Amino acid sequence: MKSQVRSESTAQGEQRTGLLYGFGAYGMWGLVPLFWPLLKPSAALEILAHRMVWSLLFVAVALVALRRWAWIGDLVRQPKKLALVAVAAIVISVNWGLYIWSVNSGHVVEASLGYFINPLVTIAIGVLLLKERLRPAQWAAVGIGVLAVLVLTIGYGQPPWISLTLAFSFATYGLVKKKVNLGGLESLAAETVILFLPALGYLVWLQARGTATFGAEGAGNALLLASTGLVTAVPLVCFGAAAIRVPLSTLGLLQYLAPLFQFALGVAYFHEEMPAERWAGFSLVWLALTILTWEALRTGRRARAEKARLTEAVRVAGAVRVAGAERSAEAERERSAEAERPAGAGPGAGAEVRTPSTAPAATPAQGAIDSTP
């Protein structure tokens, strides 16, 4: 009993730790719009190149410290998997570069919209490419999401291409990573290895032309550019620590923290305009996400209830089988005992015979006498 209580307490402690890691990861991703403007006057492409180069260095240190490099040989021996990693690297480069540019160009709110609609785009990709079947609530959420994009198109005067590109690129990245099936740290390492030489070559080219800001804008700017590796790797490590400690349903709810923080920063800190049409579009997106989350939680509860019911049924069936086996064994022992009695011996054969005058008085404990021969 004590061990069970101790185990439950440990599990609860692990879940609390996982929640803290999850809040940390999505909180850092949500507050990252405050970081990219600090790197000005560096252009988005230069910042992206530094992010790739420094991320590899920090991730390599982490892998060496954790001694997690056995996966490298397996990956190199699988050309198809390596090609998928290259696709993932290209897609995430587009996502990172566009996000940095949008933040430094005053489009934080539109960038946040991209990560709000990302779950809806992921569902759409599942239907179109993986032939997945949607439940009615999911269809409703996708339909409301499409309506939201139409409303926002009217509000912006053009399709919200930043949001759509960010959403589709990140959804594609998630799809490819699912196929690759590598851990977060390992995946980032593989992707940055592929991106390292092109990124480093671009930075060297900038230095040769004399247009690089690294070193030219002072030690502070150079240090901030180098810290892009930490900004990339630390949230990912926290996310990985959260993913192994909390249920996926909880992690799915936490994912909305990042775009929510970004949206709040865009409106309250960067003072971006939010006319009525944009509020209407965002409200529709939030309604779609509410329906999607409610449906996911309901489905998860049903799945857990069904699993618990099946587990109980298996337990009861196992108990019945054990009881039946015990009864069969007992019956077999009785048959064996009956077969071993001498012919003509009755149930009382072999018992000590006493005359009425010498037999002791029966005690309550002597309700039955051993009758084995």
Side-chain angles (χ1 to χ4, degrees):
M1 187 67 172
K2 288 182 179 179
S3 61
Q4 183 179 358
V5 171
R6 209 165 31 243
S7 176
E8 290 178 357
S9 176
T10 302
Q12 290 174 356
E14 283 288 293
Q15 193 160 15
R16 282 194 295 270
T17 302
L19 281 173
L20 290 176
Y21 276 122
F23 277 115
Y26 286 108
M28 283 184 277
W29 279 327
L31 297 176
V32 79
L34 296 173
F35 176 74
W36 302 124
L38 300 177
L39 303 180
K40 292 180 179 180
S42 301
L45 197 55
E46 184 179 2
I47 295 172
L48 175 62
H50 276 286
R51 188 177 188 181
M52 294 171 181
V53 169
W54 295 106
S55 292
L56 178 60
L57 297 179
F58 283 110
V59 170
V61 170
L63 289 174
V64 170
L66 297 172
R67 298 183 178 181
R68 283 161 56 177
W69 51 73
W71 57 273
I72 298 175
D74 294 334
L75 180 61
V76 171
R77 287 190 292 270
Q78 301 179 66
K80 290 184 179 179
K81 200 169 184 179
L82 200 56
L84 285 175
V85 172
V87 172
I90 294 169
V91 172
I92 200 60
S93 298
V94 172
N95 185 274
W96 284 356
L98 180 58
Y99 183 76
I100 294 168
W101 176 86
S102 62
V103 169
N104 286 355
S105 301
H107 298 284
V108 177
V109 169
E110 193 174 349
S112 73
L113 176 63
Y115 294 103
F116 273 127
I117 66 175
N118 176 66
L120 301 173
V121 173
T122 300
I123 289 176
I125 287 178
V127 172
L128 296 173
L129 298 183
L130 304 180
K131 307 302 180 185
E132 294 179 356
R133 299 182 64 182
L134 298 187
R135 295 179 287 274
Q138 291 175 312
W139 275 117
V142 171
I144 294 172
V146 171
L147 179 61
V149 171
L150 293 176
V151 171
L152 288 165
T153 298
I154 296 172
Y156 282 103
Q158 61 180 3
W161 67 272
I162 294 175
S163 306
L164 293 173
T165 305
L166 288 174
F168 275 94
S169 61
F170 201 73
T172 304
Y173 178 67
L175 176 65
V176 175
K177 283 195 69 167
K178 185 177 179 181
K179 298 286 186 183
V180 173
N181 194 25
L182 275 178
L185 200 61
E186 292 85 351
S187 179
L188 180 62
E191 291 155 16
T192 48
V193 164
I194 292 171
L195 299 170
F196 180 80
L197 287 179
L200 184 62
Y202 177 71
L203 292 177
V204 170
W205 180 72
L206 287 180
Q207 290 287 353
R209 288 186 60 195
T211 56
T213 58
F214 186 78
E217 296 295 328
N221 177 266
L223 188 61
L224 285 171
L225 285 171
S227 66
T228 54
L230 275 176
V231 170
T232 301
V234 173
L236 187 68
V237 172
C238 290
F239 173 79
I244 61 175
R245 288 176 170 86
V246 299
L248 285 177
S249 58
T250 304
L251 211 59
L253 291 175
L254 289 177
Q255 73 173 325
Y256 298 130
L257 285 178
L260 188 61
F261 286 170
Q262 293 165 12
F263 175 80
L265 284 173
V267 174
Y269 182 79
F270 293 103
H271 304 293
E272 294 185 16
E273 292 184 4
M274 280 295 293
E277 314 88 74
R278 293 184 193 174
W279 278 114
F282 271 86
S283 298
L284 286 171
V285 169
W286 295 331
L287 174 61
L289 293 178
T290 301
I291 294 172
L292 199 62
T293 303
W294 168 79
E295 200 277 337
L297 292 175
R298 185 185 64 168
T299 304
R301 282 195 299 269
R302 285 181 177 177
R304 287 192 296 271
E306 180 65 16
K307 183 179 179 181
R309 188 187 68 78
L310 291 175
T311 302
E312 179 64 16
V314 170
R315 187 190 67 80
V316 170
V320 169
R321 283 197 298 271
V322 170
E326 290 177 349
R327 285 196 296 270
S328 298
E330 181 65 25
E332 183 64 28
R333 284 195 296 270
E334 289 179 359
R335 284 195 296 270
S336 298
E338 186 68 24
E340 290 174 5
R341 292 193 187 100
E352 182 180 357
V353 179
R354 297 178 184 270
T355 62
S357 60
T358 59
T363 64
Q366 289 176 311
I369 301 175
D370 182 18
S371 62
T372 46

